[in-house]
Amino acid sequence: MNPVPIRAAIAGTGSYLPEKILTNDDLSKMVDTSDEWIYPRTGIRGRHIAAPGENTSDMAAEAGRRALAAAGAAPEDIDLLVMATISGDKPLPATACLVQEKLGLVNATAFDVLAACSGFLYALDVARQYVRSGAARKVLVVGAEKMSAITDWQDRTTCILFGDGAGAAVVQPAEGGSENGILATCTGTDGSLWPLLNIEAGGSALPASPETLAARRGFVRMDGHTIFKYAVRNMAGIAARAVKEAGLSTSDIDWIVPHQANMRIIQAVAKSMDAPMEKVVANIERTGNTTAASIPVALDEAVRDGRIRPGHNVLFVAFGAGLTWAAGVVRWGL
Ligand code: ACO
């Protein structure tokens, strides 16, 4: 353990969205729904869907490749890969191992973090702690999901929400004397609320069987109405905590990059911070909820189109199954 913590910073980002787009009108031909119902309640008009045979690890590897290029890092420079997903390729091994092979991260230890929509921020927190302590020098953090594989396309209360994609960031020590870097990461969990959002079958408690398949118990189930209330309350609370821990006030925040679950949740969180929607990075209309990929995809888009620039204070905030929630504040740049 280093006596003086090393400040971690984000050196580069990357993202990947599959080519195929499923619109609300397409969905209205699959279940009893409509664009008129979906868009006003969620802010979603379309979502990307992985091609047949295109797996979470493929999307993760592409996003990771782009993040490495943006950071000017070689695969062999990476000494840790932390991967956030709830839709890994297989129950075993960790999808991080498959991504490590695909990217040739020959010097990296690789493991998965399962914290649903909070997953990328949990993984960022892990990466930050490794860099702070000196245990790792260059960490690739990836959030990737093939939600289309674990979504029940007959359940209109959930299938309208989710999409596929991947996002990634390279975390490493900030440059000497720099004021930039990750200023705060905060995480929270309330395991008593797990029944609100879960997949019943397919784990060791209820292995997949012909009965579970017939009863469609291997897909995401959610009490959306109750989740909505917890999402707003917990995201607002942890966002305020992260801003305080960063030594800032809400007016110092230039950009909020929230988890893209529902536009109305995003608006409520911005309101709780007295932040205008002009400060919010939102791509939910095109992507839907990509769970662990949502924040790194939105972040990468805002970095690449020049909205987020060095010196900007960026707040991340997320909420998901577990229940879990998390936030982080980054002064952009190395
Ligand atoms: N099309 C048409 N009607 C629908 C649809 C649909 N797609 N879905 C539900 N309805 C109907 C319901 O059956 C219900 O009808 P009823 O009143 O006759 O029973 C009515 O619409 C209202 O349903 P609600 O569920 O109360 O609708 P609500 O306004 O809460 O919106 C939504 C639902 C969009 C899911 C919202 O609750 C939400 O976004 N919740 C948060 C989800 C979330 O953030 N999850 C966490 C992240 S996910 C993760 O971690 C993996």
Side-chain angles (χ1 to χ4, degrees):
M1 188 73 171
N2 272 60
V4 181
I6 299 165
R7 181 179 285 186
I10 296 178
T13 60
S15 63
Y16 171 82
L17 293 169
E19 209 176 304
K20 182 181 167 185
I21 294 168
L22 188 72
T23 65
N24 291 349
D25 288 338
D26 296 331
L27 272 171
S28 70
K29 294 176 191 119
M30 298 160 61
V31 288
D32 181 14
T33 193
S34 62
D35 182 58
E36 292 71 36
W37 194 93
I38 301 169
Y39 184 68
R41 278 178 186 76
T42 66
I44 301 168
R45 282 206 198 276
R47 67 286 289 145
H48 293 256
I49 302 292
E54 185 174 41
N55 292 323
T56 299
S57 65
D58 299 315
M59 295 187 279
E62 191 49 45
R65 206 169 281 124
R66 293 173 188 182
L68 291 179
E76 51 275 18
D77 296 340
I78 301 295
D79 48 11
L80 178 66
L81 164 63
V82 190
M83 162 105 198
T85 187
I86 61 165
S87 52
D89 290 17
K90 302 166 186 296
L92 189 74
T95 305
C97 300
L98 309 179
V99 176
Q100 188 228 22
E101 191 214 356
K102 284 182 176 156
L103 288 176
L105 309 180
V106 288
N107 296 314
T109 295
F111 58 85
D112 286 0
V113 166
L114 199 161
C117 302
S118 310
F120 181 78
L121 296 187
Y122 270 54
L124 185 69
D125 181 48
V126 171
R128 178 188 182 214
Q129 305 308 343
Y130 267 82
V131 170
R132 262 162 83 88
S133 67
R137 293 287 297 172
K138 250 189 221 305
V139 186
L140 182 62
V141 184
V142 184
E145 303 286 5
K146 187 174 173 178
M147 292 302 294
S148 58
I150 58 170
T151 295
D152 184 352
W153 293 103
Q154 296 179 13
D155 175 11
R156 69 176 183 174
T157 68
T158 53
C159 75
I160 57 158
L161 297 172
F162 298 112
D164 300 336
V170 174
V171 177
Q172 65 184 58
E175 283 168 1
S178 166
E179 299 276 295
N180 296 333
I182 304 174
L183 306 181
T185 46
C186 305
T187 52
T189 305
D190 185 346
S192 72
L193 297 172
W194 71 263
L196 294 174
L197 180 45
N198 70 105
I199 298 176
E200 265 191 294
S204 58
L206 185 60
S209 66
E211 290 74 30
T212 64
L213 283 177
R216 309 187 71 76
R217 292 170 81 180
F219 297 117
V220 173
R221 296 283 173 232
M222 173 175 80
D223 174 352
H225 211 70
T226 310
I227 293 270
F228 194 103
K229 291 180 208 154
Y230 281 110
V232 172
R233 190 188 313 154
N234 289 316
M235 285 172 81
I238 202 150
R241 193 177 124 202
V243 170
K244 193 167 171 214
E245 277 188 25
L248 301 175
S249 63
T250 48
S251 58
D252 297 321
I253 298 297
D254 298 291
W255 293 104
I256 303 171
V257 185
H259 169 50
Q260 315 280 315
N262 182 313
M263 197 60 189
R264 289 186 296 139
I265 295 177
I266 294 173
Q267 285 162 343
V269 172
K271 194 167 169 217
S272 78
M273 298 180 59
D274 280 329
M277 284 305 286
E278 289 71 36
K279 285 189 173 184
V280 175
V281 177
N283 61 2
I284 186 169
E285 184 169 332
R286 290 181 285 112
T287 62
N289 179 352
T290 57
T291 307
S294 134
I295 286 181
V297 169
L299 171 66
D300 183 51
E301 290 180 357
V303 169
R304 283 176 193 265
D305 69 20
R307 275 175 287 170
I308 293 177
R309 294 194 299 277
H312 281 171
N313 291 317
V314 183
L315 169 70
F316 307 126
V317 59
F319 177 87
L323 296 181
T324 57
W325 53 94
V329 176
V330 176
R331 189 171 299 128
W332 200 253
L334 269 180

